[in-house]
Amino acid sequence: MAGTRPFTLEGIDHVVLLVDDMAAARAFYLEVIGCTVENALPQYGMLQLRAGASLVDLVDISGEPGAWARPPAPGGRNVDHVCLATGRWEEAAMRAWLAAQGVAIIEEGVNNGARGESLSFYVKDPAGNTIELTGPPEAT
């Protein structure tokens, strides 16, 4: 793993949790934990909650909008992915770095995270967990 990493790690941007009772999950995270509602994305069955500098995204897998995240076996995984926030990176350098490390980009896109919209690359860790790497939003 030689070479210079083209980014700095800044922390966890968001975690995506799969829930089968959105009302109960929402009440728990808002009333017990103290999160606030950041954004609703009903087309994905998702509710984004602010947890300090990070987000906790809840995906309701009991309905069709959240079916995209439903685990293949009932009672299976309940964490879809973890998003790690990085410093600014140059897209070509990041692609080259990941390729040189033998890490495939399995998905990519501009997504809304705790710091706003930015380009994200999704990769798998050695255990098969999905990790999203996202830089800060582009300056406007």
Side-chain angles (χ1 to χ4, degrees):
M1 295 200 178
T4 303
R5 190 175 298 109
F7 64 92
T8 57
L9 184 62
E10 295 185 351
I12 293 177
D13 183 271
H14 65 272
V15 176
V16 178
L17 302 177
L18 309 181
V19 302
D20 58 8
D21 184 340
M22 182 62 86
R26 178 187 172 117
F28 175 81
Y29 282 97
L30 269 57
E31 297 168 19
V32 177
I33 302 299
C35 293
T36 57
V37 175
E38 178 83 5
N39 198 11
L41 301 166
Q43 68 273 30
Y44 302 115
M46 185 183 295
L47 183 66
Q48 291 184 315
L49 305 177
R50 174 66 56 184
S54 302
L55 294 177
V56 175
D57 295 346
L58 304 177
V59 179
D60 185 354
I61 60 171
S62 68
E64 280 312 302
W68 62 270
R70 196 174 295 139
R77 66 179 173 81
N78 67 346
V79 175
D80 183 73
H81 70 275
V82 173
C83 178
L84 299 176
T86 71
R88 200 161 300 286
W89 40 267
E90 199 281 319
E91 183 179 344
M94 183 64 117
R95 288 181 188 282
W97 167 259
L98 292 170
Q101 307 312 308
V103 176
I105 297 169
I106 60 168
E107 184 180 340
E108 63 184 83
V110 175
N111 298 302
N112 188 48
R115 301 179 296 174
E117 287 192 349
S118 60
L119 177 62
S120 295
F121 289 155
Y122 294 79
V123 299
K124 294 279 189 182
D125 75 5
N129 296 302
T130 301
I131 305 298
E132 178 184 354
L133 300 169
T134 189
E138 293 296 319
T140 55

